[in-house]
Amino acid sequence: MDQDGETVGMFCDREHNDNEGEPTASSYAQEEVEQHVESIFKSYDYLSGLDTEPGFPLLRREQHKQFLLKSLMYLPESFSKLDASQPWMLYWILHSLALLDVRLEDKMKDGVIKHLQKCHNTQTGGYGGGPFQYGHLAPTYAALNSYVLVGTPEIWSTIDKVSMTDFLFKLRVGDGSFLVHEGGESDIRAVYCAVVVAKILNIQAPDLFEGSIEWIVRCQTYEGGFGGDPGQEAHGGYSFCAVAALYLLQGLHMCDLKALLRWTVNRQMKYEGGFQGRTNKLVDSCYSFWQGATVVLAQMGLHSSSPQEAKTKEWMFDEKLLQEYVLLCCQDPYGGIIDKPKVHKDPYHTCYGLSGLSIAQGSDESRIVGDAVKNKVKQVHPAFNLPVDKLSDAMAFFYGSKSS
Amino acid sequence: MSETSSEGSDGDRWVFYKDRPDWKDVTPVKQEEGPFPVVSIAYNAKFKDVYDYMRAVLKSNEISERAFHLTKDALELNPANYTVWQYRRLLLKDLNKDLREEFQYVSQLIDEYPKNYQIWHHRMVMVEWMDDPSMELDFLKEALYNDPKNYHAWKHRQWVIKKFNLFENELEYTESLIGDDLRNNSAWNQRYFVVLHTGKLSEPDQIRKEISFALKAILKTTLNESAWNYMRGLLIHTEKGVLEAEVVEFCEKLYASGNKSPHLLGMLIDMAVEGDDPKLDERALQICRELANRYDHVRAKYWNYMETIVKEKIAATKVADQKATNANEAASDVKNN
Ligand SMILES: [Zn+2]
């Protein structure tokens, strides 16, 4: 925030949606969200005008930590519907805690590792959504990320690379795409998860991803973003999967990067400051990461530079507006990040809201919104969405101890 | 929650599997927790009971009528359990079940959970097994009536249309949806899917028709990115791309009328970059700065980047012009000598 006290009405220069006298269902929904956001901005304008909150707006670090630690141990009954996503919940919570630089007690880490081991399915290969569930690429990805977040070389050495390689090959479809599980659906999430698993574990199998770059490129739509399958509408989550997988497969140059960049930067909302997932849809905090990271990866592709070199460049979205959306509109007072005002918090949006904050802060340190020390979260790798320090430890292990 | 029984959804008294005589032979398999449980969900007693038996069945690979019923109870409690769905498909085949009934079942569940990956996938497999898409388009119309942007419904619709070649009335369908809400980007995307797969994008006349369709929508709402993007998508397939005469004329007219839609201004920049009019290059530089400072401030950094692209183009043109002049001079030197 500006420190010279010109904070009163600091949001009043934001422009509302203009329906040009042609209101439709989409514009009504948009205007409703803007109203909710506006009332929040107004209350903050009032508060900041009173100058009662130094370092405004503040990341509610302690509240998020409490919410996350509680969720790590215990989840209410409504989470039964996520019974087949247990490794996901571990990853969302552990990653969020890591971003907040919370260190876990050893017994907690041990509990996590034991639980992950129970989710491993020796029959199908891979990790399931819970104990006794079939191996599935999404929980496998989440489990592996969780291992990176809490593991040690000793733990990492127990991961069976050979069976993981078989598992990936079993799910490979001839055209370079992947199934999420045997008999399951196929879409770009599956390819991304497979690529990340192979990349982290240093699985060297040249034909595993034969045709994958071409298949992913077929998912780029006329809008510039990517859909879940060839033909499907461009969508932030799938775009991220596509672009991150292309980056990891060194195939970014194969897609239309300019169209991708144009589509992605256009997903940032001029009033709310956050990103929407698709053209003419509503803002949602999880896209802070999906779209924010895609802008970073697209820029890296355009400048064909490494993350470190590109680091010196600013990201081509408004990092201040994005941080303001997450910090002002999406923090639950009792901890946790919400999708948008009037919606409940959950570990998923907490993870991707904070990850998006990290991406935004990584653009230009001088533009960290609020107190630069208190609000700073750890830096994530834009393609893996893991903290760079933990990722490099794990990569050093899997690449260094390679004997084959 | 009572530990012995609870009300079933049909009003019958729910009997726990552990209390059912016909399940006495099965030992339930608990999802046991270690000394330090994590992400431990507070399952209710019914959930625990059903899944204890579900796990037992999965473990023993039991193929039976009672196992089939059990999958239904398990999916009612958590329709996102892909393992149970997969096992149910195995049972459907091995027990030679009536797939029509399965269709009714999955339709009900989609109404209840329209955004669930597993249920939609199950429906797709059922259509495949029965090799019968006859119910799909009406069913999807209903689903899309409730949520015109439901990604799963659109995925299913594209799959069934392509697999069974049901393109016939689809263009009209997208037109009616766009008529309902011309900002429904899913409908525009579907329109593109149709024109692409019906070969219209290789016929200049058809492209022109679609361009007119898009331009009409743009005139109504010049800020509607869906229509602009659709038009850009069509231009990929034309000979001149963004320099297509009709579109250039349209954009110039709209600009002359004072319109400042960022999508219009973005088009003008792209037209300058692709074209060879130095005056338009200068105007494009100006537009980039206006977008960054005023009309599309949130994307200021992007427009600054576009400004560098325009500048690069101007520089490259100058170099090319210089080369051409040099070549001409060299040629006339040769002639003169
Ligand atoms: Zn979301």
Side-chain angles (χ1 to χ4, degrees):
Chain A
M1 277 309 102
D2 300 329
Q3 296 187 332
D4 44 16
E6 50 150 303
T7 41
V8 180
M10 61 190 161
F11 306 111
C12 59
D13 61 335
R14 297 194 192 203
E15 266 176 64
H16 274 293
N17 183 56
D18 174 4
N19 66 30
E20 298 177 88
E22 283 280 340
T24 61
S26 295
S27 64
Y28 285 128
Q30 174 61 27
E31 283 150 21
E32 192 185 337
V33 170
E34 286 184 21
Q35 271 171 23
H36 295 323
V37 170
E38 183 175 19
S39 62
I40 291 172
F41 285 164
K42 277 188 173 154
S43 67
Y44 280 119
D45 271 345
Y46 175 71
L47 277 180
S48 58
L50 295 176
D51 205 19
T52 50
E53 216 177 329
F56 169 89
L58 200 64
L59 174 68
R60 298 178 192 271
R61 198 176 275 275
E62 190 55 33
Q63 288 90 329
H64 296 319
K65 177 182 156 187
Q66 293 309 327
F67 165 67
L68 291 161
L69 286 176
K70 192 177 152 208
S71 304
L72 180 57
M73 289 183 275
Y74 169 91
L75 295 162
E77 190 190 329
S78 58
F79 277 78
S80 300
K81 293 269 192 290
L82 284 168
D83 180 53
S85 300
Q86 295 174 39
W88 269 124
M89 289 189 282
L90 283 174
Y91 164 62
W92 297 331
I93 294 167
L94 294 169
H95 182 51
S96 302
L97 285 167
L99 289 175
L100 297 170
D101 208 13
V102 177
R103 268 163 228 275
L104 288 182
E105 290 172 50
D106 283 347
K107 64 171 188 194
M108 274 193 210
K109 287 190 188 170
D110 200 47
V112 170
I113 304 285
K114 292 233 161 65
H115 194 73
L116 290 172
Q117 284 164 345
K118 276 195 277 180
C119 292
H120 185 250
N121 189 316
T122 46
Q123 274 179 341
T124 61
Y127 290 75
F132 303 98
Q133 298 181 28
Y134 295 156
H136 185 300
L137 269 173
T140 299
Y141 158 85
L144 193 62
N145 276 359
S146 302
Y147 271 116
V148 171
L149 285 159
V150 297
T152 56
E154 203 187 343
I155 299 293
W156 294 330
S157 65
T158 64
I159 297 172
D160 185 349
K161 253 174 76 167
V162 177
S163 95
M164 190 62 90
T165 310
D166 291 345
F167 176 64
L168 295 180
F169 269 106
K170 257 197 298 192
L171 297 178
R172 199 189 122 82
V173 181
D175 61 2
S177 65
F178 282 77
L179 302 177
V180 290
H181 66 88
E182 280 182 273
E185 72 273 18
S186 106
D187 63 38
I188 213 155
R189 291 172 309 149
V191 186
Y192 169 68
C193 292
V195 171
V196 169
V197 169
K199 193 79 188 180
I200 292 181
L201 293 180
N202 188 16
I203 289 172
Q204 299 285 343
D207 40 350
L208 183 56
F209 297 109
E210 204 184 302
S212 295
I213 291 178
E214 291 76 6
W215 187 83
I216 296 168
V217 168
R218 284 175 55 210
C219 296
Q220 186 168 28
T221 85
Y222 66 91
E223 291 195 272
F226 290 71
D229 276 299
Q232 286 261 88
E233 184 183 359
H235 176 292
Y238 298 111
S239 259
F240 168 78
C241 288
V243 175
L246 285 178
Y247 165 82
L248 294 171
L249 294 169
Q250 281 152 359
L252 267 180
H253 60 282
M254 299 288 284
C255 76
D256 185 344
L257 284 167
K258 283 186 178 165
L260 170 68
L261 185 67
R262 182 182 63 229
W263 178 81
T264 315
V265 297
N266 269 293
R267 303 284 61 75
Q268 190 169 19
M269 312 301 279
K270 66 183 189 324
Y271 188 80
E272 307 92 300
F275 281 97
Q276 63 187 174
R278 304 181 241 164
T279 306
N280 283 329
K281 289 269 286 173
L282 303 174
V283 70
D284 175 346
S285 67
C286 66
Y287 295 111
S288 308
F289 176 76
W290 302 125
Q291 307 285 27
T294 301
V295 172
V296 174
L297 292 165
Q299 280 183 249
M300 278 158 56
L302 279 169
H303 301 292
S304 44
S305 52
S306 72
Q308 260 344 92
E309 281 169 319
K311 187 71 195 57
T312 57
K313 297 191 182 76
E314 287 179 33
W315 312 141
M316 272 187 242
F317 58 83
D318 192 319
E319 67 279 84
K320 260 184 117 166
L321 284 191
L322 183 63
Q323 292 175 67
E324 283 172 2
Y325 177 67
V326 174
L327 293 172
L328 296 171
C329 301
C330 299
Q331 293 196 85
D332 185 291
Y334 300 101
I337 305 282
I338 59 176
D339 157 346
K340 62 171 75 53
K342 310 267 175 197
V343 181
H344 290 293
K345 65 184 173 188
D346 59 72
Y348 167 84
H349 286 94
T350 306
C351 169
Y352 292 104
L354 292 176
S355 304
L357 195 61
S358 166
I359 293 281
Q361 291 181 347
S363 178
D364 179 353
E365 300 253 330
S366 71
R367 288 169 67 84
I368 288 185
V369 169
D371 187 301
V373 177
K374 285 183 183 156
N375 281 10
K376 179 109 174 81
V377 296
K378 285 238 192 166
Q379 189 196 342
V380 295
H381 188 292
F384 292 95
N385 199 18
L386 285 166
V388 283
D389 52 350
K390 307 233 178 200
L391 178 66
S392 68
D393 286 352
M395 296 282 253
F397 171 80
F398 288 111
Y399 284 73
S401 68
K402 189 185 70 173
S403 52
S404 55
Chain B
M1 180 63 59
S2 146
E3 275 297 321
T4 52
S5 64
S6 65
E7 291 295 311
S9 53
D10 47 6
D12 290 343
R13 202 128 171 91
W14 172 263
V15 181
F16 282 106
Y17 277 84
K18 64 178 192 285
D19 299 327
R20 297 185 189 190
D22 51 332
W23 283 88
K24 273 278 167 279
D25 58 312
V26 174
T27 313
V29 176
K30 302 243 172 248
Q31 178 180 281
E32 63 202 86
E33 291 180 328
F36 196 89
V38 290
V39 289
S40 175
I41 299 168
Y43 307 107
N44 63 36
K46 182 178 176 181
F47 192 104
K48 269 191 204 159
D49 176 66
V50 167
Y51 273 92
D52 286 350
Y53 282 81
M54 192 65 240
R55 283 185 280 268
V57 162
L58 284 167
K59 201 173 164 191
S60 64
N61 248 316
E62 179 180 313
I63 307 294
S64 66
E65 222 27 73
R66 67 174 184 181
F68 186 70
H69 285 290
L70 176 61
T71 59
K72 192 176 173 203
D73 284 334
L75 291 170
E76 192 180 306
L77 291 164
N78 178 19
N81 193 312
Y82 59 91
T83 304
V84 178
W85 280 113
Q86 189 59 24
Y87 198 72
R88 185 175 172 89
R89 283 193 283 275
L90 179 86
L91 294 171
L92 280 168
K93 276 217 156 138
D94 285 2
L95 300 171
N96 222 343
K97 300 298 287 185
D98 178 6
L99 296 182
R100 295 267 150 208
E101 263 175 49
E102 190 66 3
F103 236 84
Q104 293 299 321
Y105 171 60
V106 77
S107 300
Q108 269 171 28
L109 274 180
I110 286 177
D111 286 343
E112 216 177 320
Y113 303 98
K115 292 191 174 173
N116 171 300
Y117 281 97
Q118 289 75 28
I119 309 175
W120 281 105
H121 177 62
H122 191 67
R123 186 177 183 100
M124 192 193 94
V125 177
M126 291 307 108
V127 174
E128 237 169 10
W129 284 4
M130 286 164 62
D131 197 29
D132 177 8
S134 57
M135 283 148 66
E136 295 318 278
L137 292 189
D138 283 341
F139 176 77
L140 287 162
K141 208 170 175 175
E142 182 75 21
L144 290 169
Y145 176 79
N146 295 326
D147 178 3
K149 300 179 181 179
N150 181 335
Y151 209 79
H152 301 279
W154 282 115
K155 171 176 172 158
H156 191 78
R157 193 171 179 99
Q158 291 195 346
W159 171 79
V160 80
I161 285 178
K162 213 170 152 194
K163 182 166 175 77
F164 297 94
N165 195 19
L166 305 174
F167 287 98
E168 204 187 336
N169 300 314
E170 195 62 5
L171 201 68
E172 287 73 26
Y173 177 59
T174 65
E175 189 160 347
S176 85
L177 286 183
I178 292 168
D180 293 342
D181 178 355
L182 78 184
R183 299 181 182 89
N184 179 354
N185 197 58
S186 305
W188 286 99
N189 185 74
Q190 184 71 354
R191 191 170 182 91
Y192 198 84
F193 171 80
V194 176
V195 295
L196 180 70
H197 288 287
T198 50
K200 290 193 164 60
L201 293 183
S202 43
E203 296 170 42
D205 281 356
Q206 294 290 339
I207 296 183
R208 216 159 299 139
K209 245 173 92 180
E210 286 306 302
I211 289 179
S212 312
F213 181 82
L215 294 183
K216 244 185 249 164
I218 290 173
L219 269 184
K220 269 194 187 168
T221 50
T222 63
L223 294 166
N224 177 17
E225 191 186 341
S226 295
W228 284 103
N229 285 355
Y230 182 72
M231 191 183 65
R232 277 180 176 273
L234 297 170
L235 294 177
I236 298 171
H237 297 269
T238 64
E239 203 187 314
K240 292 188 176 164
V242 291
L243 296 179
E244 209 50 44
E246 189 189 356
V247 175
V248 172
E249 198 187 318
F250 174 88
C251 290
E252 288 297 347
K253 242 174 111 177
L254 192 58
Y255 185 65
S257 77
N259 190 286
K260 302 291 183 194
S261 163
H263 310 301
L264 166 67
L265 300 181
M267 277 295 287
L268 294 174
I269 296 168
D270 286 7
M271 286 171 181
V273 171
E274 295 299 317
D276 52 10
D277 184 341
K279 268 190 294 192
L280 293 184
D281 290 343
E282 289 305 318
R283 186 181 72 178
L285 288 178
Q286 170 78 15
I287 289 175
C288 285
R289 289 190 284 264
E290 284 175 1
L291 279 163
N293 298 327
R294 182 148 173 223
Y295 301 119
D296 201 25
H297 189 61
V298 60
R299 272 162 281 281
K301 289 195 269 183
Y302 174 72
W303 295 120
N304 291 338
Y305 162 75
M306 287 306 291
E307 192 183 338
T308 65
I309 296 214
V310 178
K311 281 181 178 157
E312 273 167 31
K313 185 248 170 172
I314 294 172
T317 315
K318 278 186 183 146
V319 171
D321 286 352
Q322 194 56 49
K323 270 190 190 152
T325 319
N326 291 347
N328 280 344
E329 278 167 7
S332 56
D333 281 355
V334 171
K335 244 191 243 163
N336 292 345
N337 289 341

